[in-house]
């Protein structure tokens, strides 16, 4: 494996075990607005994509009285409460960040919006590890487009081919490949066959550490 100049981490499903919490937060909002039983959302199909995509699709299908901004904010508030109560950081992740950040500049490229990113990175002082933080709000096109990873590389002043991405979703893998980057996919959210296009599929943070260090 070639040496890398920077490592870019996805957040949901990589930094925190948040995909189940995102789904629970969506369900809480959907129950409140009367769509708990008939929302028609296949949540795993949206792994790696932004809340904006989920709500836009929901609004197109159901035309609720609430605005897009209202739905975004309500879901973010529910998610933040769940996250702060449960602190679902993956075992081994803080230790990996500590070791890797001592040798490489780290970026975070997340489909979540900045309020959610801020809530996550406040847990256990995680923000200190990242030199660049990019949200889906900061780019025109979300994953699987490469925009978010290209912006992170730009902020880190590293050429895309010299970056390695850590992802957990098929959309994220496609985005990293489209950016011309190496991508390690960890099987936190999806089985290996769903991530097969990644440069390498791993099951643990220890495996990532061995490859990077």
């Amino acid at each position: 494996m070639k040496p890398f100049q920077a490592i870019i981490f996805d957040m949901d499903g990589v930094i925190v075990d948040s995909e189940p919490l995102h789904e629970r937060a969506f369900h809480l909002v959907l129950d409140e607005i009367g769509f708990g039983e008939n929302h028609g959302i296949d949540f795993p199909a949206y792994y790696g994509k932004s809340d904006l995509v989920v709500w836009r699709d929901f609004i197109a299908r159901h035309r609720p009285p609430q605005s897009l901004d209202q739905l975004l904010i309500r879901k973010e508030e529910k998610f933040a409460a769940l996250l702060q109560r449960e602190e679902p950081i993956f075992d081994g992740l803080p230790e990996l960040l500590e070791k890797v950040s001592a040798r490489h500049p780290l970026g975070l490229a997340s489909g979540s919006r900045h309020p959610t990113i801020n809530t996550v990175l406040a847990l256990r002082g995680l923000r200190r590890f990242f030199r660049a933080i990019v949200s889906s709000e900061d780019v025109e096109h979300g994953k699987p487009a490469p925009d978010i990873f290209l912006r992170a590389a730009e902020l880190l002043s590293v050429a895309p081919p010299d970056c390695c991405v850590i992802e957990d979703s098929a959309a994220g893998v496609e985005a990293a490949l489209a950016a011309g980057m190496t991508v390690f996919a960890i099987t936190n959210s999806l089985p290996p066959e769903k991530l097969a296009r990644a440069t390498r599929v791993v099951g643990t943070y220890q495996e990532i550490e061995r490859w990077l260090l």
Side-chain angles (χ1 to χ4, degrees):
M1 186 67 65
K2 70 174 186 177
F4 300 107
Q5 301 301 312
I7 313 299
I8 303 172
F9 285 78
D10 175 43
M11 187 180 76
D12 294 297
V14 173
I15 302 295
V16 284
D17 187 11
S18 53
E19 298 295 5
L21 269 64
H22 279 293
E23 187 166 342
R24 283 164 58 190
F26 273 114
H27 279 293
L28 289 169
V29 177
L30 291 165
D31 285 343
E32 288 179 354
I33 65 174
F35 288 90
E37 301 300 325
N38 64 335
H39 55 77
I41 301 172
D42 176 17
F43 287 101
Y46 289 95
Y47 287 174
K49 299 181 181 180
S50 70
D51 288 1
L52 196 63
V53 174
V54 179
W55 284 127
R56 279 177 175 164
D57 288 353
F58 172 79
I59 288 170
R61 183 180 299 119
H62 295 289
R63 304 293 179 187
Q66 295 80 12
S67 71
L68 176 60
D69 282 345
Q70 288 173 326
L71 292 171
L72 284 166
I73 291 168
R74 285 175 73 165
K75 186 267 175 179
E76 285 173 348
E77 289 173 346
K78 303 287 188 190
F79 176 78
L82 291 170
L83 189 74
Q84 289 166 345
R85 184 168 69 242
E86 301 186 18
E87 294 195 0
I89 300 170
F90 285 106
D91 290 340
L93 184 279
E95 293 79 7
L96 175 67
L97 293 178
E98 188 85 53
K99 293 174 183 177
V100 176
S101 65
R103 299 180 60 172
H104 303 286
L106 304 188
L108 185 79
S110 174
S112 288
R113 303 203 313 161
H114 281 292
T116 296
I117 293 172
N118 292 338
T119 301
V120 170
L121 294 187
L123 302 176
R124 296 176 62 177
L126 294 178
R127 180 176 289 275
R128 71 186 189 275
F129 295 117
F130 297 100
R131 296 191 194 177
I133 297 169
V134 186
S135 159
S136 57
E137 295 177 279
D138 302 323
V139 294
E140 184 175 356
H141 303 291
K143 302 171 187 178
D147 304 32
I148 198 165
F149 291 124
L150 293 174
R151 178 59 177 156
E154 181 183 12
L155 291 174
L156 293 166
S157 300
V158 176
D162 294 323
C163 296
C164 179
V165 170
I166 313 300
E167 262 288 352
D168 74 303
S169 71
V173 167
E174 294 302 325
L177 292 174
M181 300 177 181
T182 298
V183 55
F184 291 175
I186 189 165
T187 55
N188 287 341
S189 305
L190 295 172
E193 60 269 20
K194 299 283 189 180
L195 302 168
R197 280 182 43 77
T199 310
R200 190 167 299 278
V201 179
V202 299
T204 67
Y205 292 100
Q206 290 72 27
E207 287 179 73
I208 294 174
E209 180 182 332
R210 286 197 296 270
W211 284 107
L212 294 183
L213 303 178

